[in-house]
């Protein structure tokens, strides 16, 4: 058996034959045994064989293995390295060009600058931002401002928010035009005219608001700053009138100093009350600027008071709880609002709450309502024919619900006494008259002392 080593010329003949037959195992054997690699001409043949011969318009994924092996077998001379760039340009012209094939060629690190950019742009165009990121790290290629703008809007429109961070990693952070584009995109998206639109919270619209919120949040967390956009986003968040949006509005205020016109917050509060979504009020109220809180609180309490309807106990109870929660967290500087609440409590025969409003917040009835309330209680005593003086306790408590320095009060009490005296007799009638007379004497004595 002839085991004499082959000459170099003989090995080259064998390599030519292996290339002609597209026999990669033979090529590998010749390289490993004799150290021979593909010449530029052979390399070209192998590369072009990776492209299907019958469908020249397409590149199939299986071509990746052939291209990988060809790159491993190539001779690193100038001619062969130029072939890589030429071949990649050819591949990029094909339809259905697989990203993995382009990535294999892009990783070769021997591409010309213009081909590097073509490959980078290709990856961006098909949304393979991971491959584009690898090229950025390898070749220093970045998105220009036009590409950045196009890709951000495209990602927003197709609701692929998970791609945003990858896109934002592809531009040069020192590129001033890109920084301007980011602010422009943030402002454009944030200011879309869809406030109070069903599209903001209707799930049938493909979670428009969730996509909107994630997009804005991602840009903000990336360091993009545009106060007009932040304020617009807060306004849209409030207009959803949902806990999800309102909580986000609070975050925008806390993290990015977002602000909103107080009139729009008042609209949101009114809607929450009218739609009986009282639980939202504690999310809306903190959104007011500090200078507007007292006025807003008083206005809100008056709005809630309008829902304290004695005909609907369940609604009354919810509105009352909302009032108590608001008072507990912010108090109230509006005497009008407080007096309106005690009036509503009396109308609903809710004496315990009226007493609480009076003792904690100095709420008072006007003389007309005071007169009506006292006579109403006297009517109950008369109708029930109570004989035990302990039944006068609520009446005694109610005497605190009017300001004793009200100049109309003495006359009001005198008329009440006269009216009660003329009523049909009932067991505690004289007790009531005596109590009201003592109350009147105390008022008159106090007035004399003060004067």
């Amino acid at each position: 058996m002839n085991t004499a080593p082959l000459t170099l010329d003989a090995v080259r003949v064998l390599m030519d034959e292996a290339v002609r037959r597209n026999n990669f195992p033979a090529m590998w054997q010749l390289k490993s045994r004799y150290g021979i690699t593909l010449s530029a001409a052979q390399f070209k043949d192998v590369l072009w064989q990776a492209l299907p011969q019958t469908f020249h318009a397409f590149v199939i994924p299986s071509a990746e293995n052939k291209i990988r092996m060809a790159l491993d077998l190539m001779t690193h001379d100038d001619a062969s390295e130029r072939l890589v760039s030429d071949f990649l340009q050819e591949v990029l012209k094909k339809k259905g060009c697989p990203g993995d094939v382009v990535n294999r060629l892009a990783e070769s690190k021997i591409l010309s600058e213009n081909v590097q950019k073509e490959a980078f742009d290709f990856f961006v165009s098909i949304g393979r931002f991971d491959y584009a990121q690898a090229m950025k790290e390898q070749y220093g290629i970045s998105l220009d401002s036009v590409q950045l703008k196009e890709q951000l809007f495209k990602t927003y429109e197709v609701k692929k928010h998970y791609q945003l961070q990858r896109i934002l990693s592809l531009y040069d952070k020192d590129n001033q035009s890109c920084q301007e584009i980011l602010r422009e995109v943030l402002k454009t998206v944030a200011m879309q005219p869809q406030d109070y639109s069903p599209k903001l919270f209707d799930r049938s619209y493909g979670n428009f608001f969730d996509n909107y919120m994630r997009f804005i949040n991602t840009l903000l967390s990336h360091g993009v700053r545009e106060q007009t956009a932040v304020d617009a986003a807060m306004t849209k968040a409030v207009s959803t009138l949902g806990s999800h949006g309102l909580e986000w509005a609070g975050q925008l205020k806390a993290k990015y100093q977002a602000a909103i016109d107080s009139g729009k917050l008042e609209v949101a509060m009114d809607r929450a009350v009218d739609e009986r979504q009282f639980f939202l009020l504690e999310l809306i109220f903190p959104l007011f600027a500090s200078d507007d809180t007292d006025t807003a609180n008083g206005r809100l309490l008056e709005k809630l008071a309008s829902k304290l309807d004695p005909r609907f106990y369940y609604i009354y109870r919810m509105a009352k709880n909302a009032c108590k929660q608001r008072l507990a967290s912010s108090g109230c500087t509006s005497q009008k609002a407080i007096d309106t609440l005690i009036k509503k409590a009396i109308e609903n025969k809710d004496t315990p709450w009226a007493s609480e409003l009076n003792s904690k917040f100095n709420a008072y009835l006007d003389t007309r309502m005071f007169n009506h309330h006292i006579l109403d209680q006297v009517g109950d005593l008369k109708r029930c024919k109570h004989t035990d003086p302990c039944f006068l306790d609520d009446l005694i408590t109610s005497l605190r619900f009017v300001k004793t320095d009200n100049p109309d009060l003495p006359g009001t009490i005198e008329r009440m006494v006269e009216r009660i005296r003329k009523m049909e007799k009932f067991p505690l009638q004289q007790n009531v008259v005596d109590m009201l007379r003592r109350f009147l004497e105390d008022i008159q004595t106090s007035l004399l002392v003060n004067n």
Side-chain angles (χ1 to χ4, degrees):
M1 184 175 181
N2 185 9
T3 58
L6 297 174
T7 64
L8 183 58
D9 289 340
V11 172
R12 286 174 176 165
V13 170
L14 291 175
M15 183 62 88
D16 286 340
E17 180 64 17
V19 169
R20 186 180 67 80
R21 293 179 178 275
N22 200 22
N23 187 341
F24 280 96
M27 294 182 214
W28 272 107
Q29 187 177 22
L30 291 169
K31 179 184 178 184
S32 61
R33 181 175 296 182
Y34 298 103
I36 191 169
T37 55
L38 297 174
S39 66
Q42 291 169 328
F43 181 52
K44 180 177 181 180
D45 286 344
V46 171
L47 283 178
W48 258 259
Q49 285 174 12
L51 298 179
Q53 298 302 306
T54 53
F55 300 99
H56 292 291
F58 296 88
V59 177
I60 59 176
S62 61
E64 181 189 0
N65 285 333
K66 294 180 180 180
I67 293 169
R68 175 182 57 79
M69 287 187 285
L71 290 170
D72 289 341
L73 290 165
M74 69 178 283
T75 301
H76 285 272
D77 54 19
D78 291 344
S80 295
E81 292 182 355
R82 282 195 300 271
L83 278 171
V84 177
S85 292
D86 295 341
F87 182 71
L88 179 51
Q89 284 185 307
E90 188 68 25
V91 168
L92 290 171
K93 295 176 184 177
K94 305 295 184 181
K95 296 179 182 177
C97 175
D100 292 339
V101 172
V102 177
N103 188 53
R104 178 65 64 185
L105 291 162
E107 287 178 335
S108 67
K109 300 183 180 180
I110 52 177
L111 301 177
S112 63
E113 288 187 6
N114 63 314
V115 178
Q116 292 170 10
K117 185 65 168 67
E118 287 182 37
F120 178 84
D121 292 347
F122 168 76
F123 289 139
V124 170
S125 70
I126 64 172
R128 290 305 303 263
F129 302 117
D130 52 341
Y131 285 163
Q133 177 64 31
M135 289 203 70
K136 181 175 185 289
E137 294 172 359
Q138 185 170 324
Y139 299 110
I141 308 170
S142 302
L143 288 176
D144 59 34
S145 58
V146 174
Q147 288 175 309
L148 179 61
K149 180 178 181 179
E150 177 185 351
Q151 290 303 318
L152 287 174
F153 279 131
K154 179 180 177 181
T155 302
Y156 177 69
E157 290 299 326
V158 299
K159 300 179 175 65
K160 292 185 177 180
H161 58 86
Y162 56 87
Q163 295 278 36
L164 277 176
Q165 289 291 5
R166 288 180 172 177
I167 294 172
L168 292 171
S169 70
L170 293 177
Y171 77 95
D172 180 0
K173 304 302 184 294
D174 295 327
N175 188 321
Q176 188 60 38
S177 61
C178 285
Q179 295 288 350
E180 292 172 0
I181 284 296
L182 287 173
R183 289 191 290 271
E184 177 189 333
V185 170
L186 175 63
K187 187 174 181 180
T188 300
V189 172
M191 299 184 72
Q192 293 178 92
Q194 289 162 327
D195 293 350
Y196 297 104
S197 164
K199 192 173 182 179
L200 281 172
F201 41 82
D202 190 336
R203 296 298 179 185
S204 65
Y205 284 94
N207 295 337
F208 170 85
F209 183 71
D210 287 345
N211 181 56
Y212 173 88
M213 182 175 65
R214 290 191 183 105
F215 188 88
I216 298 296
N217 273 345
T218 301
L219 290 182
L220 290 175
S221 64
H222 188 70
V224 184
R225 294 292 180 268
E226 171 56 56
Q227 196 60 43
T228 304
V230 173
D231 294 347
M234 183 183 187
T235 298
K236 198 177 300 295
V238 169
S239 71
T240 65
L241 203 65
S243 55
H244 193 42
L246 291 170
E247 286 169 0
W248 185 44
Q251 293 167 11
L252 291 173
K253 180 181 179 183
K255 291 183 179 180
Y256 306 107
Q257 294 74 54
I260 182 174
D261 178 70
S262 61
K264 292 184 177 180
L265 287 176
E266 290 173 359
V267 170
M269 285 198 310
D270 289 349
R271 287 182 62 205
V273 173
D274 291 338
E275 296 173 16
R276 303 171 192 171
Q277 298 189 69
F278 300 116
F279 68 97
L280 294 178
L281 296 174
E282 292 307 305
L283 294 174
I284 297 172
F285 192 80
L287 302 178
F288 281 94
S290 57
D291 293 342
D292 298 327
T293 53
D294 286 345
T295 301
N297 196 40
R299 187 182 184 283
L300 174 56
L301 289 170
E302 288 185 44
K303 180 67 178 180
L304 285 168
S306 69
K307 300 300 177 182
L308 296 170
D309 193 327
R311 297 171 299 172
F312 306 103
Y313 175 72
Y314 180 66
I315 298 174
Y316 170 81
R317 188 176 64 181
M318 289 195 301
K320 172 185 171 181
N321 288 339
C323 286
K324 295 186 78 168
Q325 187 173 5
R326 185 93 301 277
L327 288 168
S329 59
S330 297
C332 186
T333 59
S334 170
Q335 191 64 43
K336 178 183 177 183
I338 287 296
D339 291 348
T340 300
L341 290 181
I342 193 173
K343 177 181 176 182
K344 289 292 183 178
I346 293 300
E347 288 177 351
N348 285 276
K349 299 185 182 299
D350 193 346
T351 303
W353 190 35
S355 181
E356 179 182 338
L357 289 167
N358 172 256
S359 61
K360 290 184 178 180
F361 304 102
N362 297 319
Y364 293 101
L365 297 172
D366 58 35
T367 53
R368 185 192 66 79
M369 191 67 196
F370 176 71
N371 176 74
H372 172 79
H373 178 53
I374 296 299
L375 292 177
D376 187 57
Q377 287 186 305
V378 171
D380 288 342
L381 291 172
K382 178 176 177 294
R383 185 168 53 256
C384 296
K385 298 181 180 180
H386 290 302
T387 58
D388 190 335
C390 71
F391 286 101
L392 296 175
D393 289 348
D394 283 348
L395 193 62
I396 294 171
T397 298
S398 297
L399 296 179
R400 302 200 308 266
F401 298 165
V402 66
K403 279 191 172 184
T404 56
D405 60 355
N406 189 319
D408 297 330
L409 183 57
T412 299
I413 295 175
E414 288 175 354
R415 288 189 292 273
M416 281 196 295
V417 169
E418 187 63 25
R419 183 170 176 177
I420 293 168
R421 286 181 63 255
K422 291 180 180 181
M423 288 181 179
E424 182 181 348
K425 297 295 182 181
F426 60 94
L428 294 175
Q429 185 177 32
Q430 190 59 45
N431 299 65
V432 172
V433 169
D434 292 343
M435 179 189 68
L436 290 173
R437 281 175 172 166
R438 285 194 300 272
F439 183 53
L440 177 59
E441 289 173 1
D442 290 342
I443 293 172
Q444 292 172 333
T445 301
S446 177
L447 288 173
L448 288 172
V449 171
N450 291 334
N451 290 333

